[in-house]
């Protein structure tokens, strides 16, 4: 593209972005400086920058976390608008509320390690579960904060009693092999089956 026309097209693109954001009632626009727009949606912020050399930079953050980042050379309007829409999609994407699951064993140490592994697994796979662990003697004080309590195999004999005591929270036992091998995939399957069954009730 001829440098003159590229500069003209970039200016048109910047104006187009400005009016796109202005006409979207969900978004708030702030002109940060001559080359930068900040676009706000709830607790997320997008930064849209057009550098003099024709590089466009797009980023979306939520607090300290970077959710989206792109930088590209402006070549044509169609390509640039498509990438802008992708940024806006990420900016306005609703965070799914995390579901709370509690793992429980006699002293809380083994399930504490499993919970740590599960949280890393969920984070990597963008699964909205928050897994915590506790010792059996602490259950009565905290069970109301959880949808599901999964107890270690060595406490299997307590499932019926705990199910009665901790209503309406559901109590299930973790499969011995799943527990012994810290199988995150298998435990996730058990958790997902619980939520599927809950939805069908």
């Amino acid at each position: 593209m001829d440098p003159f026309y590229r500069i003209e097209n970039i200016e048109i693109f910047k104006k187009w972005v400005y009016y796109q954001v202005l006409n979207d009632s969900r978004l708030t626009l702030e002109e940060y400086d001559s080359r930068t727009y900040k676009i706000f949606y709830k607790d997320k912020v997008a930064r849209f920058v057009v550098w003099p050399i024709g590089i466009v930079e797009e980023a979306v953050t939520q607090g300290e976390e970077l959710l989206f980042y792109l930088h590209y050379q402006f070549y044509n309007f169609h390509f640039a608008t498509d990438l802008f829409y992708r940024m806006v999609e990420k900016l306005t994407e609703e965070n799914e509320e995390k579901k709370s699951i509690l793992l429980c064993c006699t002293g809380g140490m083994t399930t504490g390690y499993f919970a740590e592994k599960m949280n890393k697994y969920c984070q990597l796979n963008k699964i909205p579960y928050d897994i915590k662990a506790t010792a059996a003697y602490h259950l009565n004080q905290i069970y109301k904060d959880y949808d599901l309590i999964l107890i270690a195999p060595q406490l299997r004999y307590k499932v019926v009693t705990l199910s009665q005591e901790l209503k309406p929270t559901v109590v299930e036992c973790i499969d011995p092999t799943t527990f012994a091998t810290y199988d995150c995939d298998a435990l996730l399957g058990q958790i997902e089956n619980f939520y599927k069954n809950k939805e069908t009730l």
Side-chain angles (χ1 to χ4, degrees):
M1 183 187 288
D2 183 282
F4 173 78
Y5 290 112
R6 190 170 69 177
I7 290 164
E8 288 293 303
N9 278 319
I10 287 171
E11 286 306 311
I12 292 167
F13 177 53
K14 274 181 71 180
K15 285 243 180 345
W16 177 85
V17 166
Y18 178 86
Y19 286 109
Q20 287 295 308
V21 176
L22 218 58
N23 291 323
D24 190 330
S25 59
R26 301 170 302 166
L27 307 176
T28 306
L29 179 74
E30 177 190 306
E31 291 187 70
Y32 185 72
D33 57 35
S34 61
R35 60 177 178 262
T36 307
Y37 295 146
K38 280 189 171 181
I39 305 163
F40 299 87
Y41 176 78
K42 296 186 178 176
D43 62 341
K44 288 189 264 188
V45 184
R47 193 169 60 96
F48 175 85
V49 188
V50 179
W51 296 96
I53 54 171
I55 298 287
V56 179
E57 192 176 9
E58 300 176 352
V60 177
T61 55
Q62 186 172 30
E64 298 296 314
E65 186 182 1
L66 181 65
L67 304 176
F68 179 96
Y69 180 79
L70 271 180
H71 72 279
Y72 54 91
Q73 184 77 48
F74 183 91
Y75 287 114
N76 66 67
F77 194 80
H78 176 74
F79 176 72
T81 55
D82 179 58
L83 294 179
F84 174 76
Y85 282 135
R86 288 170 192 265
M87 182 189 74
V88 171
E89 277 175 19
K90 190 64 186 177
L91 177 65
T92 57
E93 183 180 80
E94 294 295 339
N95 293 330
E96 211 174 329
E97 191 177 329
K98 285 193 173 183
K99 293 169 176 147
S100 299
I101 297 102
L102 184 65
L103 308 186
C104 174
C105 62
T106 309
M109 284 184 64
T110 317
T111 46
Y113 177 69
F114 205 171
E116 192 180 323
K117 278 196 74 171
M118 279 297 293
N119 282 319
K120 283 178 185 170
Y121 181 84
C122 290
Q123 194 175 5
L124 281 170
N125 292 284
K126 304 199 181 302
I127 301 165
Y129 295 147
D130 183 28
I131 320 281
K132 295 271 183 6
T134 191
Y137 66 82
H138 198 44
L139 272 177
N140 283 319
Q141 286 109 43
I142 60 171
Y143 76 93
K144 290 179 182 174
D145 297 330
Y146 299 91
D147 303 316
L148 173 65
I149 295 171
L150 295 170
I151 63 170
Q154 61 265 37
L155 295 175
R156 179 179 232 116
Y157 68 95
K158 286 192 165 194
V159 169
V160 175
T161 309
L162 289 172
S163 293
Q164 293 299 317
E165 287 176 4
L166 307 180
K167 277 183 178 177
T169 303
V170 173
V171 179
E172 292 181 6
C173 187
I174 303 169
D175 176 80
T177 305
T178 300
F179 191 75
T181 57
Y182 299 111
D183 188 337
C184 293
D185 200 42
L187 192 62
L188 180 64
Q190 184 175 354
I191 293 166
E192 288 185 334
N193 282 337
F194 161 74
Y195 282 111
K196 277 179 197 165
N197 293 335
K198 194 179 177 186
E199 284 168 13
T200 56
L201 292 176

